[in-house]
Every structure is written in C-alpha cells, then in structure tokens.
C-alpha cells in the first residue's frame, strides 16, 4: 500500500516553460516533505523541503506547494532548463519517534527539451 | 556535498555468496540509513541506525543484516545473496525530520 504516490512516471516540457511535478500522500501523520533530484548513476540530491505548517516554500526556480486538506504537494520549476532533466522523487517523513525514515514515491522522470 | 562514500561502487557476485557493502561518513551524523532502489519502486528503506550498535529494520529488511561499530561506518550484509537482491543500494545520513543526504550508490548484480 503506497503511502506516497507519484502518478506520472514521466513528464516532458519545453525549455523555458514551467514543469509541475505532483505527489499525493495518504498518511495524515506525515508532516515534513522533501523533493530529491536524481541523475543516472548518482545518488539522490536534496532539492527543497516543506514543513506541514507552511503551504509554500520557494528556492530560486523551485517552489513546493503543500495542500494538506487534499494531501497533495507539487514541485514547480520555472523556467525549466535542460539540466533539470532527471528523475524527481517526492518523500515524506512522520514525526520524530516513529520509524525515523523517509517514505519515497516511485519518481517522475522529467525531460526538458531544448 | 555531504561526506558520504560507499564501497564498492559496483559488484558482481553469484547466488549464495555473502556480500558486504560499506558506507562511510565524515559528518559525525548519528543516523544512517540503507535504501535500495529498483525500477517501479522508488527508494525503499532496508535498515537504519540511530547510533553505534543501535539499528532497526526498515520496510524491506528480509535477507539483510547491518552493523555499526563506529559512528562513521555502517555496513550492510547480504548473508546469502539472491537474484532478487540485484539492485542499486544507497546509504544516507540525516536526522529524523531533517534532510537526508545520500551517497553515490553501489550497483550490485547477483547472478
């Protein structure tokens, strides 16, 4: 039973346009969310995070939006660049005292076309 | 980059042989994690450690054991490798409710 779902395995956008990657979760105990980017043959690298007390967090071209009532978060990349082409993983964390790990979605492969 | 190294980076082994993967960190983090990544599954937690000699199971711990005798090293052992353990293994460090930082990965092929 997937607790974190990324329903789009892939996404293709044109350079300069907006990329929107979506993530849904089922566990209402999750209160910290992260996005990771992964290039082939490398480890995932942290991109941006958001606490459940916020509904938006922005870092340069990357913005994460959290809709707690819908149990949905999204990552916006504006403008998209060819170097953004990678697999993006959404992850969620439950409060300290629980298992202590991140629960990952299956990932969305983003392709940014020049 | 967080100071995390993994060794070996690539390994080919045969079914039934023992395999040990090493994760080494220079960040003095208390928490360390082992994940595996498989197509269609994302990253799944195998085991984690919350201190020297303190470890616990994750989502997919069957067939794996871990040891942590020093803060900087976290070992993952496949006692008797099976083809289903062919995967890419990632080590990570980081506190609960904080960002986890990942190593470069070990690609393991079990024939």
């Amino acid at each position: 039973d997937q607790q974190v779902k990324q329903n789009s395995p892939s996404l293709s956008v044109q350079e300069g346009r907006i990329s929107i990657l979506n993530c849904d979760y089922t566990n209402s105990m999750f209160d910290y969310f992260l996005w990771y980017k992964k290039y082939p043959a490398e480890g995932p690298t942290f991109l941006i995070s958001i606490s459940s007390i916020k509904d938006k967090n922005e870092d340069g071209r990357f913005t994460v939006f959290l809709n707690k009532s819908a149990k949905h978060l999204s990552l916006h990349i504006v403008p998209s660049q060819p170097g953004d082409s990678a697999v993006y993983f959404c992850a969620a964390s439950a409060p300290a005292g629980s298992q202590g790990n991140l629960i990952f979605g299956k990932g969305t492969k983003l392709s940014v076309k020049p | 980059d967080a100071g995390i190294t993994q060794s070996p980076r690539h390994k080919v082994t045969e079914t039934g042989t023992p395999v040990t993967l090493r994760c080494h960190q220079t960040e003095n983090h208390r928490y360390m994690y082992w994940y595996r990544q498989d197509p269609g599954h994302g990253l799944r937690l195998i085991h984690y450690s919350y201190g020297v000699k303190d470890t616990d199971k994750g989502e997919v711990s069957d067939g794996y054991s871990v040891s942590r005798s020093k803060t900087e090293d976290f070992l993952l052992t496949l006692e008797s490798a099976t083809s289903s353990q062919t995967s890419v293994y990632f080590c990570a460090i980081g506190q609960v409710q904080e960002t986890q930082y990942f190593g470069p990965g070990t690609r393991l092929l079990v024939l």
Side-chain angles (χ1 to χ4, degrees), chain A residues 31-32 34 36 38 41-44 46 49 89 93-102 104-107, chain B residues 9 31 33 35 37 40-43 45 48 57-59 90 96-105 107:
Chain A
D31 62 357
Y32 186 63
L34 308 91
Y36 284 84
K38 186 183 179 307
E42 295 184 11
F46 169 71
S49 63
F89 291 99
S93 172
S98 61
Q99 197 173 20
N101 61 290
L102 297 179
F104 284 84
K106 294 182 178 181
Chain B
R9 293 294 313 280
Y31 281 82
Y33 309 82
Y35 291 87
Q37 186 200 4
H41 287 279
L43 289 103
L45 183 71
Y48 69 101
K57 296 179 179 180
E59 178 187 357
F90 291 102
V96 176
Q97 286 284 288
E98 294 182 12
T99 303
Q100 289 183 18
Y101 296 95
F102 286 80
R107 189 172 293 271

Side-chain angles (χ1 to χ4, degrees), chain A:
Chain A
D1 186 27
Q2 267 191 284
Q3 297 188 69
V4 177
K5 300 178 185 179
Q6 295 178 255
N7 292 319
S8 298
S10 62
L11 175 67
S12 182
V13 300
Q14 207 66 34
E15 180 179 6
R17 305 296 291 269
I18 184 172
S19 296
I20 299 176
L21 295 95
N22 294 303
C23 178
D24 298 294
Y25 61 97
T26 57
N27 189 340
S28 59
M29 296 299 291
F30 289 149
D31 62 357
Y32 186 63
F33 303 90
L34 308 91
W35 284 94
Y36 284 84
K37 178 167 77 172
K38 186 183 179 307
Y39 293 119
E42 295 184 11
T45 55
F46 169 71
L47 198 55
I48 193 168
S49 63
I50 187 167
S51 165
S52 61
I53 62 173
K54 295 185 175 182
D55 55 17
K56 176 183 174 181
N57 189 26
E58 193 171 352
D59 184 2
R61 296 186 296 115
F62 303 92
T63 303
V64 56
F65 295 92
L66 176 62
N67 182 335
K68 289 186 290 295
S69 61
K71 294 191 179 68
H72 176 84
L73 64 155
S74 61
L75 174 67
H76 292 212
I77 306 173
V78 184
S80 301
Q81 300 173 354
D84 296 329
S85 297
V87 177
Y88 289 78
F89 291 99
C90 169
S93 172
S98 61
Q99 197 173 20
N101 61 290
L102 297 179
I103 308 296
F104 284 84
K106 294 182 178 181
T108 296
K109 184 176 183 179
L110 174 67
S111 299
V112 180
K113 309 272 185 220

Side-chain angles (χ1 to χ4, degrees), chain B residues 44-105:
Chain B
R44 294 179 293 173
L45 183 71
I46 305 171
H47 282 278
Y48 69 101
S49 170
Y50 47 96
V52 173
K53 293 188 169 55
D54 292 322
T55 65
D56 205 350
K57 296 179 179 180
E59 178 187 357
V60 290
S61 59
D62 287 349
Y64 301 95
S65 63
V66 289
S67 66
R68 186 139 177 234
S69 59
K70 298 185 290 185
T71 298
E72 57 266 35
D73 289 326
F74 191 30
L75 303 181
L76 176 71
T77 297
L78 291 66
E79 302 290 348
S80 177
T82 67
S83 58
S84 66
Q85 293 175 313
T86 291
S87 187
V88 183
Y89 292 87
F90 291 102
C91 174
I93 62 175
Q95 304 284 2
V96 176
Q97 286 284 288
E98 294 182 12
T99 303
Q100 289 183 18
Y101 296 95
F102 286 80

